[in-house]
């Protein structure tokens, strides 16, 4: 009999594995509840999404744009900036 796949099985390695040994600060009272939260498919998907953002914006293949074309050290970091353009009162639909 074939075992049914869980939503977490659709994630790539290592996010489809037991994450309870590496995730910290799981705010639950019992070890059972902490392990269950660490291995929840939604938790694993958030960790995967966070890692993808880090690779995209800070990794070796990140797209870097100069703020000042004449200064090679003036890298713009839109992910880390506090620029809130597009989130004003006028942008609410």
């Amino acid at each position: 009999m074939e075992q049914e796949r869980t939503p977490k099985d659709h994630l790539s390695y290592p996010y489809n594995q037991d994450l309870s040994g590496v995730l910290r600060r799981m705010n639950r009272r019992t070890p059972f509840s902490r392990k269950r939260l660490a291995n929840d498919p939604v938790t694993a998907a958030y960790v995967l999404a966070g890692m993808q953002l880090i690779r995209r914006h800070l990794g070796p293949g990140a797209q870097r744009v100069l703020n000042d074309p004449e200064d090679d050290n003036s890298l713009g970091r839109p992910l880390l900036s506090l620029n809130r353009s597009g989130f004003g009162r006028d942008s609410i639909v």
Side-chain angles (χ1 to χ4, degrees), residues 12 22 25 51 62-63:
S12 61
V22 292
R25 314 245 332 154
M51 290 301 296
Q63 203 174 30

Side-chain angles (χ1 to χ4, degrees), residues 13-86:
Y13 178 85
Y15 308 101
N16 61 357
Q17 304 296 306
D18 180 11
L19 298 176
S20 64
V22 292
L23 294 181
R24 300 287 181 243
R25 314 245 332 154
M26 297 279 112
N27 191 14
R28 297 294 183 263
R29 287 187 187 265
T30 65
F32 174 78
S33 295
R34 285 190 293 271
K35 185 172 183 171
R36 186 176 66 193
L37 178 63
N39 288 305
D40 187 82
V42 175
T43 302
Y46 273 116
V47 172
L48 172 61
M51 290 301 296
Q52 288 173 341
L53 282 172
I54 289 170
R55 279 189 206 108
R56 182 179 307 141
H57 293 284
L58 301 174
Q63 203 174 30
R64 291 173 173 80
V65 179
L66 296 177
N67 286 336
D68 181 5
E70 296 176 6
D71 182 7
D72 290 337
N73 295 322
S74 68
L75 292 176
R77 301 204 185 268
L79 177 71
L80 303 176
S81 72
L82 297 176
N83 183 0
R84 295 174 51 100
S85 62

